[in-house]
Amino acid sequence: MEERISHFLILRNINKNYGGVKALEKVDLDIMEGEIHCLVGENGSGKSTLVKIITGVVKPEPGGKIEIKGESFEFLDPLTSFLKGIHVVHQDLSLFPNLSVAENIAIHEHIMKKSGLVNWKRIYEVADRVMKRLGIYIDPHIQVEKLSVADQQLVAICRSLASDAKLMILDEPTSSLTSREVERLFSILRDLKSRGISILFISHRLDEVLDIGERITVLKDGKKVGTFRKEELDKKKLTYLMTGRELAFVRRSKGLEKKVPILKVENLTKYGQFENVSFELHSGEILGLIGPRGAGRTELALSLFGMNPPDSGRIFVEGKEVSFKSNRDAIKHGIGYVPENRLTQGLVLEQSVKNNLVITILERILNDFRLIDEERKNKVAEEMVRKFGIKTAGMDVAAKTLSGGNQQKVVLAKWISTAPKILILDGPTMGIDVAAKESIYRLVSKLANEGIAVLFISDESSEVTANCDRIMLMKNRKIVGVFKKDEISEEELERRIKE
Amino acid sequence: MMRKSRWKIYNQTEFYLFIVLIVLSTILAFVNPKFLRLENIFDLLRNYTFLGILALGQLVVLISGGIDVSFTAIATVSQYIMGVIISKYYIDNILVALAIPIPIGIALGLVNALLVYYTRVHPVIITISTLNVFYGFLMFITSGRWIYKFPPSFRNFVQIKILSFTSAKGTPYGLSILTLFWIIVAVMTWFILKHTNIGRKIYAVGGNLEAARRAGINIFRTYIFVYCYMGGLAGLASFVQAQLAQIIQPNAIVGKELDVLAAAILGGASVFGGSGTVPGAILGVLLIAIIKNGLVLMRIPAYWHQVVMGAIIAGAASVTALQMKFKSRRMVRKNVD
Ligand SMILES: Nc1ncnc2c1ncn2[C@@H]1O[C@H](COP(=O)(O)OP(=O)(O)OP(=O)(O)O)[C@@H](O)[C@H]1O
Ligand SMILES: [Mg+2]
């Protein structure tokens, strides 16, 4: 007997223009009941826009059709979409920073309830139940603005799981999660699928996509390239479909021979965060720092950048002992830091792309009267857009109109452009598409060859083994191993992180 | 397993306000022992009920991420219409008098809400314009005439005390019934903000407007609620003010905008929306009341009052800013475990 599978969602001829930009052009999409469908494409290819159309956040241009279980709409609004069973984790998470974790998770209790009164007990119950299901614990009373990005991402996922969905949409939900949390999420998604619930999953981690997806739709420049069965694809083919070219991920060749230590750390300790950390960083070297989340990597980086004073231990920059009172001190000593949560810390969203780009290098664009030289500013900003492959409708559009990945590139660009002597990159490729990743690797490698020392914090063993000269493994607040390039394979490193 | 929340008293703005309040009161009590007399405190509470009610309304608007500076004009208009009706038709019923200004305030608040929602212009601009329009219309129609012939029920209401005492000298004093209005409004506002869905939606809208829209919260209804609530309270406050003054002058209220905003902001509400509490808004008003009262008791000339007020508000704002800074420092540490 043939299994009958029916459509949950049908999109036909979906167009969306932002001014002159065609964010989506004649896109069709079918999502079956109980299917795990993945959506991939470069930064700015229109993935989030498509999600916003399905969830009723933006209206498509007239002429398209949205069909949910046989019912046709020209466009949706957020409440209708929710009532039809479509739950979503938006790329920017769309949380309420001033509200507690529990209330963020159970926000629909406020919206759906008829009685008008809040049932606080139920709100905490809902939060508790969903967190248990995901196998996590976050203090339900704490305000969301006080959480790390990873925890905020977990809260957003919890919200989408808080009530029964028919279609779950996750727009890059995993960018800050550890592999354990990702596995847990995937097992929940598979469980939902087995109960007939559809899933639309977006990620730049192609391994994840090929792991969980059954069918994969590829977008490129707002157009649909096609929908493929997982069996038809591998990573290389998928990359080609997304970018239109073969990407060769070159491994970094040997760095500088002459080794000049520029940063030296001795027995650095901050109780509860990291203990007895000692290492040397040489100019022209890329030093990887990898480990599970919560190992203390970001905390260590913040200490090196003067934002998290250590309890004991010593730091030397170019042979001289330093003690940073603030990040201003660190910057004076030539240290640059690209933070982990770029989306929330790095941008003035209402300001133009151009202004965001040059904000860290104003010195360089002053004219003889110490005023900003507009022409130089344009030139510098355009150069950065080109170098980092930032996709934008123009230099003067507000930063908030960029796609999530392109916003990240802006932040990365503005910090790297300050040309520090020591550059700390905290997860520089999170949420960035494959092609852009490759260009960032190349750029970092080039910076190192010019003599800059790079501390490269990452979650992905493949990227550190390919791009770092040395790799430090940090676990449970301690450095547990240092490996030279080619001394350890990707698989071996992955195993050691997990064990 | 539920871990208890890490609610720490010294993390709360209200706590700092309370300390400042105690310190100032102690100083004032030394300067002039009259200050801590129950009589003076009751007077203070009665005289600041007007400001207190308005500050609670403003609190709700500020939490939603908006602001309303037109409430003084709303209060003036609703007060004047009440005055005209009860004096012209000589309506000797306090409940009718009370029932007139509130719906007028709500209606004018609705005008604000519609304009803010549909024009998408910043509410400061909208309410500055409506302030001028409402007030201008009233002055045009009334040419500023005063009203002072009220029926007895209106004249006597203000004398009612809910707690009465007699001083050593034999003069009676007590807690005015007007203060009861403030208490009721405070309890009601607290209940709305904490225990009703609309209250939580107001916080959500003020915390992240776009996220609220995406979650399916009806922004339009939320705006209508907050601006009408402010309007209704402006109507009620205008009744209180007319009771205290026993005269209705179209220019008596306009000009109090900054006191109200200062009280709400001192109390921890933010002009960026999403934060603020009822206890904070009450403490903010009390702080302003004590400072002004202290200046009088210390016989400081009136023109210095403005200067002192300004300095205190600037000081309080810096304290809040510093507190935020410490919070975020702590955060770096806390985030990390
Ligand atoms: N509000 C807006 N105004 C103008 N342009 C916009 C707006 N929102 C999105 N765009 C443009 O639409 C295009 C598609 O953006 P979208 O966010 O859908 O990309 P994406 O595929 O999700 O990318 P990413 O992987 O970086 O998240 C981009 O070129 C972006 O600049
Ligand atoms: Mg996106």
Side-chain angles (χ1 to χ4, degrees):
Chain A
M1 198 185 90
E2 198 189 72
E3 204 184 349
R4 273 199 52 195
I5 302 175
S6 56
H7 286 80
F8 177 76
L9 178 75
I10 301 175
L11 299 181
R12 287 288 174 269
N13 191 28
I14 299 296
N15 292 280
K16 179 72 198 174
N17 306 331
Y18 286 110
V21 183
K22 287 191 170 155
L24 290 174
E25 210 181 331
K26 296 194 191 123
V27 172
D28 298 342
L29 183 72
D30 296 306
I31 296 176
M32 306 296 172
E33 280 179 4
E35 161 185 58
I36 302 184
H37 198 120
C38 290
L39 192 57
V40 298
E42 287 181 289
N43 295 132
S45 57
K47 304 180 296 294
S48 297
T49 307
L50 195 61
V51 169
K52 287 179 198 159
I53 284 171
I54 301 172
T55 52
V57 172
V58 302
K59 264 190 203 173
E61 308 301 327
K65 193 177 82 169
I66 303 171
E67 204 180 295
I68 304 172
K69 292 223 64 160
E71 194 179 341
S72 282
F73 301 86
E74 195 171 341
F75 58 86
L76 293 162
D77 64 82
L79 199 57
T80 310
S81 174
F82 184 83
L83 291 172
K84 293 283 164 203
I86 300 176
H87 295 194
V88 59
V89 179
H90 284 290
Q91 187 172 12
D92 64 9
L93 305 182
S94 287
L95 295 172
F96 302 100
N98 56 332
L99 300 185
S100 68
V101 167
E103 221 176 341
N104 265 284
I105 293 175
I107 190 77
H108 283 101
E109 289 289 311
H110 295 331
I111 300 162
M112 295 303 150
K113 265 250 299 291
K114 288 277 170 294
S115 85
L117 293 185
V118 181
N119 184 345
W120 284 105
K121 197 165 153 252
R122 190 167 152 71
I123 288 194
Y124 286 103
E125 275 167 12
V126 168
D128 195 47
R129 174 172 55 75
V130 186
M131 285 199 276
K132 276 207 182 105
R133 179 156 171 217
L134 203 55
I136 58 162
Y137 179 80
I138 304 170
D139 184 348
H141 297 274
I142 210 165
Q143 280 179 346
V144 157
E145 65 193 347
K146 297 188 180 148
L147 301 178
S148 65
V149 211
D151 282 349
Q152 292 188 3
Q153 216 160 40
L154 290 170
V155 170
I157 292 173
C158 285
R159 177 198 289 175
S160 70
L161 292 168
S163 49
D164 290 332
K166 299 215 176 63
L167 167 63
M168 288 267 302
I169 304 180
L170 302 110
D171 193 350
E172 281 188 57
T174 56
S175 61
S176 314
L177 301 189
T178 62
S179 48
R180 213 189 74 220
E181 287 156 347
V182 172
E183 273 161 29
R184 185 79 189 220
L185 175 66
F186 281 9
S187 79
I188 291 179
L189 294 184
R190 288 196 177 100
D191 171 54
L192 290 175
K193 171 202 150 61
S194 71
R195 288 192 270 140
I197 291 160
S198 318
I199 285 142
L200 182 62
F201 183 85
I202 298 174
S203 174
H204 285 294
R205 295 182 178 171
L206 300 184
D207 299 320
E208 279 178 12
V209 168
L210 290 167
D211 172 9
I212 189 129
E214 294 167 304
R215 291 198 308 156
I216 296 159
T217 293
V218 182
L219 288 181
K220 180 165 168 48
D221 299 326
K223 293 188 209 80
K224 178 168 155 178
V225 176
T227 298
F228 307 87
R229 300 200 57 76
K230 170 161 80 186
E231 298 73 39
E232 300 171 56
L233 295 172
D234 56 34
K235 214 169 155 180
K236 214 169 133 200
K237 204 159 165 196
L238 199 52
T239 306
Y240 180 77
L241 289 168
M242 285 167 59
T243 62
R245 59 199 165 102
E246 302 269 0
L247 280 183
F249 278 91
V250 280
R251 286 172 73 85
R252 174 170 157 78
S253 50
K254 230 157 83 224
L256 290 182
E257 279 304 320
K258 214 174 67 190
K259 292 216 160 149
V260 191
I262 182 160
L263 176 74
K264 197 168 147 199
V265 175
E266 270 181 20
N267 292 322
L268 207 63
T269 298
K270 172 121 189 168
Y271 296 105
Q273 297 184 2
F274 49 84
E275 287 157 26
N276 281 321
V277 171
S278 302
F279 67 90
E280 265 182 19
L281 176 63
H282 304 105
S283 49
E285 176 187 46
I286 304 179
L287 176 60
L289 177 57
I290 193 166
R293 190 166 69 84
R297 293 169 301 158
T298 294
E299 295 79 345
L300 175 61
L302 285 171
S303 289
L304 298 177
F305 192 53
M307 288 176 70
N308 184 24
D311 294 328
S312 66
R314 310 207 287 173
I315 304 173
F316 300 86
V317 174
E318 292 180 299
K320 278 197 243 49
E321 181 162 6
V322 292
S323 139
F324 299 140
K325 295 209 172 46
S326 71
N327 53 358
R328 230 175 300 148
D329 284 350
I331 293 168
K332 259 190 233 141
H333 281 87
I335 301 182
Y337 173 64
V338 180
E340 185 185 21
N341 47 346
R342 287 184 290 279
L343 273 185
T344 52
Q345 291 187 346
L347 283 179
V348 192
L349 285 171
E350 306 293 331
Q351 281 278 344
S352 70
V353 171
K354 184 163 74 186
N355 286 344
N356 270 292
L357 279 168
V358 298
I359 195 158
T360 51
I361 49 163
L362 290 175
E363 280 294 316
R364 255 188 263 164
I365 56 168
L366 297 180
N367 61 19
D368 297 341
F369 302 107
R370 310 280 304 157
L371 297 173
I372 288 176
D373 183 336
E374 283 299 323
E375 212 172 294
R376 216 178 296 172
K377 175 166 152 185
N378 289 340
K379 237 182 82 201
V380 168
E382 269 159 30
E383 165 81 22
M384 286 159 88
V385 165
R386 204 177 40 71
K387 202 160 149 191
F388 286 84
I390 298 166
K391 197 180 162 204
T392 169
M395 304 302 289
D396 296 307
V397 301
K400 67 173 177 192
T401 68
L402 297 190
S403 76
N406 281 302
Q407 290 181 4
Q408 299 223 21
K409 288 188 206 165
V410 171
V411 182
L412 206 57
K414 79 174 196 193
W415 286 112
I416 290 183
S417 304
T418 59
K421 280 183 284 190
I422 301 166
L423 181 63
I424 305 171
L425 300 171
D426 201 347
T429 58
M430 262 179 210
I432 284 183
D433 70 49
V434 275
K437 260 187 186 174
E438 188 235 25
S439 58
I440 284 169
Y441 298 150
R442 250 189 295 160
L443 189 83
V444 171
S445 186
K446 193 171 142 253
L447 289 172
N449 292 342
E450 287 165 8
I452 293 175
V454 182
L455 183 64
F456 192 113
I457 303 176
S458 168
D459 288 327
E460 287 179 50
S461 19
S462 58
E463 85 180 5
V464 291
T465 47
N467 296 288
C468 296
D469 300 315
R470 277 189 308 146
I471 300 160
M472 287 196 290
L473 175 59
M474 188 165 184
K475 284 177 83 169
N476 297 326
R477 311 187 191 102
K478 292 196 185 80
I479 305 280
V480 294
V482 181
F483 312 94
K484 283 222 187 64
K485 187 179 175 58
D486 302 324
E487 230 176 53
I488 188 163
S489 70
E490 184 188 330
E491 294 73 26
E492 173 67 9
L493 188 58
E494 188 66 19
R495 197 183 58 73
R496 293 219 193 177
I497 293 171
K498 278 194 184 146
E499 84 184 0
Chain B
M1 190 188 66
M2 285 280 272
R3 216 190 321 162
K4 206 66 212 132
S5 85
R6 280 168 281 176
W7 189 85
K8 289 193 183 124
I9 189 150
Y10 54 81
N11 273 347
Q12 314 283 317
T13 317
E14 291 84 349
F15 174 71
Y16 290 100
L17 276 176
F18 193 67
I19 300 280
V20 175
L21 207 65
I22 300 286
V23 171
L24 279 181
S25 308
T26 318
I27 296 173
L28 283 179
F30 272 113
V31 174
N32 189 335
K34 267 196 204 137
F35 175 77
L36 276 187
R37 283 218 199 122
L38 218 46
E39 223 174 319
N40 186 41
I41 291 176
F42 283 162
D43 274 356
L44 216 66
L45 288 176
R46 187 192 61 203
N47 293 344
Y48 279 85
T49 290
F50 169 68
L51 212 64
I53 292 174
L54 290 174
L56 288 163
Q58 192 65 245
L59 168 76
V60 173
V61 184
L62 285 171
I63 292 172
S64 80
I67 190 167
D68 184 351
V69 295
S70 72
F71 60 87
T72 52
I74 295 181
T76 304
V77 171
S78 36
Q79 186 184 56
Y80 204 87
I81 296 177
M82 170 186 74
V84 168
I85 296 177
I86 61 169
S87 60
K88 193 164 177 193
Y89 302 100
Y90 211 73
I91 298 174
D92 193 8
N93 184 332
I94 197 69
L95 290 178
V96 176
L98 182 56
I100 296 168
I102 295 171
I104 296 170
I106 292 175
L108 296 179
L110 183 65
V111 174
N112 280 335
L114 295 176
L115 287 173
V116 169
Y117 184 79
Y118 284 113
T119 64
R120 291 176 191 231
V121 176
H122 194 281
V124 163
I125 314 266
I126 297 284
T127 55
I128 285 179
S129 356
T130 52
L131 166 80
N132 287 301
V133 172
F134 296 158
Y135 188 57
F137 254 115
L138 187 78
M139 290 308 271
F140 176 72
I141 294 167
T142 65
S143 35
R145 267 189 300 275
W146 297 6
I147 305 174
Y148 39 81
K149 277 191 224 121
F150 301 115
S153 68
F154 197 84
R155 289 201 303 269
N156 298 333
F157 186 69
V158 67
Q159 310 297 344
I160 302 175
K161 306 270 184 292
I162 45 176
L163 287 171
S164 318
F165 303 90
T166 319
S167 73
K169 284 186 209 136
T171 42
Y173 66 96
L175 185 62
S176 165
I177 187 154
L178 295 181
T179 306
L180 189 63
F181 284 44
W182 186 7
I183 296 169
I184 292 172
V185 170
V187 171
M188 182 173 76
T189 309
W190 169 81
F191 185 80
I192 290 173
L193 287 176
K194 177 82 192 174
H195 290 289
T196 66
N197 291 330
I198 181 74
R200 302 319 293 170
K201 286 183 199 168
I202 292 170
Y203 276 100
V205 167
N208 186 344
L209 179 63
E210 178 61 17
R213 199 174 68 81
R214 289 181 186 183
I217 291 176
N218 190 325
I219 310 291
F220 183 54
R221 260 192 242 159
T222 314
Y223 280 2
I224 295 217
F225 182 87
V226 299
Y227 288 98
C228 288
Y229 193 70
M230 172 83 254
L233 290 190
L236 179 65
S238 79
F239 171 84
V240 169
Q241 199 272 345
Q243 277 294 328
L244 283 172
Q246 287 298 320
I247 182 165
I248 293 176
Q249 303 160 294
N251 59 356
I253 299 177
V254 169
K256 293 258 191 290
E257 297 85 9
L258 283 186
D259 279 356
V260 171
L261 275 171
I265 290 167
L266 264 181
S270 155
V271 280
F272 301 112
S275 66
T277 62
V278 167
I282 295 172
L283 287 168
V285 173
L286 292 181
L287 203 59
I288 287 187
I290 287 181
I291 293 163
K292 289 201 163 173
N293 190 244
L295 292 171
V296 173
L297 287 178
M298 290 202 277
R299 295 180 212 286
I300 291 176
Y303 47 82
W304 279 105
H305 293 191
Q306 296 276 27
V307 178
V308 174
M309 279 302 294
I312 300 256
I313 290 170
S318 332
V319 168
T320 321
L322 273 178
Q323 207 188 325
M324 294 264 267
K325 197 169 157 193
F326 285 130
K327 245 191 212 165
S328 60
R329 281 247 184 99
R330 260 206 303 278
M331 223 176 84
V332 174
R333 264 182 271 151
K334 214 191 294 171
N335 257 350
V336 263
D337 52 42

